[in-house]
Structure formats: C-alpha cells, structure tokens
Amino acid sequence: MRKIIIDTDPGIDDAAALALAVFSKELDVQLITTVAGNVGLDKTTYNALRMVSLWDARIPVAAGAARPLSGPVYDAAEAHGESGMDGFTFDAVTARTVPMHAVEAMRRVLMRSEEKITLVPIGPLTNIALLFSTYPEVKEKIDEIVLMGGAFLRGNITPMAEFNIFADPEAADIVFKSGLPLVMCGLELAQMATITGAMVGALREKNPTARMVCDLFEHYRGGDLENGMRMYDSTAICYLLAPELYTTKDCFIGIETASPLTRGMTVCDLEGFWGREPNGKVCTAVDPEGFRRLFLEGLENASGAPENPTAAMWLYDC
Ligand code: BDR
Ligand code: CA
C-alpha cells in the first residue's frame, strides 16, 4: 500500500475524493489535515471529522491554517453550500482532532516513517508551504506531491486562476519551487472526469458513503447532475491509483503572485519556450471512461471498516 497524507478543505468534491482514498486497498492514508478553502477552517475540519466518524475510520485529523500566507481569505461556499457539505445529514461526530497543528502533525508523521510518503493536497497549499518553510528537513521523507490545483489553459475563479492556487498564491509558489517531484492535476482534467447523478444514483443503496455522495451532489454546483459533476479532487486520487489513465508532460510551472490580472495563475511552459528545468508534471488529459470506472468501483466498495493499517493514530497520545 502506498502511504499518503491528504491535505483538504471539504468541500463536496473533497468528500468524494476522501472516500475513494480512505476505502482504497492500495492507499494507506496516514493522516488527514485540513485547511481553510471552500469554507472556513472550523467548517472544513468539522466536515473531515464528520466523514471520519461516518466511516469509523482509524485515521487522525489535524486542523491547519485558517488563512492564506498573505492577502484576503476567499471561499467557494457558493459551490459547496454554507457548511461546505450541504445536503447530507450525518450522525453524531465521534472523531476529534489531534492536539497539535496540522504542520506539526505532518512533520511528526513524515519524520517517523521509514518509507517515503506522498503528499496529496486537494485544497489551497497553505499548510504544505508552512511545512516546507518551517521544517525543510521533511522533504527527504516525501516521495512525491500529487495535487489538485492550477490550470494550463484558463481559470475558474478569475479568467486565468484556479481556486486552490488563487486562494494562496504565495503558498503555491513555495510548493512549486520545493524541488520535490510534483504532479499537477488541474482544471482541464475535471472537465473529462465527470460523474452524472444517474451514475451515483445507481449506487445509492449500496452503502452510506454512496448515499452521502448522492445527497451532496444534489447541492453541488460543480457541473450538473445530468451532464456530469466535475470531480476535481478525485482526479488526484485516481492518478495515484491508475497513472496510466493520464497523459502528462514534464514542464516548468511558474506561479504568478504579482499581477492583479493573473494572480494565482499556474503558467505552464508546455512548449518549452523558456528552456527552463521542469519542476512538475502537468496532467493534460485523463481517460474519461477509465476515471469513471475507478470512481464508481471505489464508491461501490466503500463499505465496512476502511483499512489504513499504518495510520498515525499515535498522534492522539502526543
Ligand atoms: C478546487 O476548488 C475547490 O472548490 C474544489 O474542492 C477543488 O479542490 C477546484 O478548483
Ligand atoms: Ca478541494
């Protein structure tokens, strides 16, 4: 099993992505960290705890940054609802957060692990940037960063910027300059990675997770139920499960932090105009049928107790 840490801002598409990862037999989720993004930190953290409780998952949750490194706080409540996950009634929340900041929790998990761990950020990159700035020694313990964020064409929150990068461009700049292997699953993939209401509806009675995803989808404004909801964050999880479904290109990716017109843009030099050393792999396409198969199989099998055998539950005793 591949060890991963998921940094997230749930968020309806985050919820689907977390379900795929937590129930996957190939991924061993060590830790879930939360960040402000789709909604404020209190809500993203509560949403993560609601899901961990629903799944009875033995995975620690650590709350992280409530605001970006600089600039105003933006949210996407318009797409995800006031709570960030409107539309599903959860039972009582039994899970709680570990008694430390997400950055500290990540450091401890990384430094204690004998194997390298993959970071999977699917929200703004604030926690990851803070981790690298505060504890650069952790980089030796990271295998790869596979993130959802950015776009090589156009944006979804401004003409040129994608939400996760726009929400904290200074953080993204630190992460993209980290020198670590980085895979960017950007906006364009989500236009190919769509799931209709009918597809998940057919699974609704299979298990509580499928029911949760169905109910949340009714309230999500990332596409439409008939033509397909865009599963942004699941594209990063499916890359981990089946990279062969993706077309990628190594290239230089710069983050615009200055221009008021294009702040938060991921400038991907796919043609190699600048001749600069690649700092990432941009996913330019995903096989839509392959993605749907993985997504729907994952949801269908999301029942029983999820297995994440080496999750860092010891963080609760620190
Ligand atoms: C990204 O922004 C958020 O609203 C989604 O959860 C996803 O991570 C897409 O731009
Ligand atoms: Ca997200």
Side-chain angles (χ1 to χ4, degrees), residues 5-9 14 31-35 62 102 106 119-128:
I5 293 175
I6 303 181
D7 187 62
T8 178
D9 61 337
D14 298 70
L31 168 68
I32 295 170
T33 54
T34 57
V35 65
M106 283 194 273
L119 297 188
V120 189
I122 54 175
L125 291 163
T126 320
N127 287 337
I128 312 297

Side-chain angles (χ1 to χ4, degrees), residues 5 12 24 92 98 119 127 131 141 146 152 156 188 193 198 222 225 235 241 248 268-269 271 294 309:
I5 293 175
I12 292 177
S24 159
V98 299
L119 297 188
N127 287 337
L131 175 71
K141 298 287 198 158
V146 178
F152 60 86
N156 65 347
E188 295 78 12
L225 286 169
T235 61
L241 300 175
T248 64
C268 302
D269 188 9
E271 313 295 333
L294 269 187

Side-chain angles (χ1 to χ4, degrees), residues 229-314:
M229 314 293 285
R230 292 189 278 271
M231 293 296 98
Y232 301 102
D233 292 340
S234 293
T235 61
I237 306 299
C238 287
Y239 178 87
L240 297 171
L241 300 175
E244 68 281 2
L245 296 176
Y246 291 67
T247 308
T248 64
K249 173 105 180 158
D250 289 326
C251 77
F252 171 77
I253 308 161
I255 307 295
E256 177 58 62
T257 55
S259 158
L261 285 179
T262 55
R263 182 168 158 78
M265 179 179 180
T266 41
V267 182
C268 302
D269 188 9
L270 290 170
E271 313 295 333
F273 293 118
W274 290 325
R276 292 175 70 166
E277 190 66 23
N279 58 339
K281 224 180 241 321
V282 174
C283 295
T284 55
V286 60
D287 166 16
E289 286 314 316
F291 173 85
R292 283 182 196 121
R293 185 177 32 78
L294 269 187
F295 184 96
L296 296 168
E297 271 173 19
L299 210 53
E300 185 165 7
N301 296 327
S303 57
E307 282 171 36
N308 295 275
T310 65
M313 293 304 283
W314 49 268

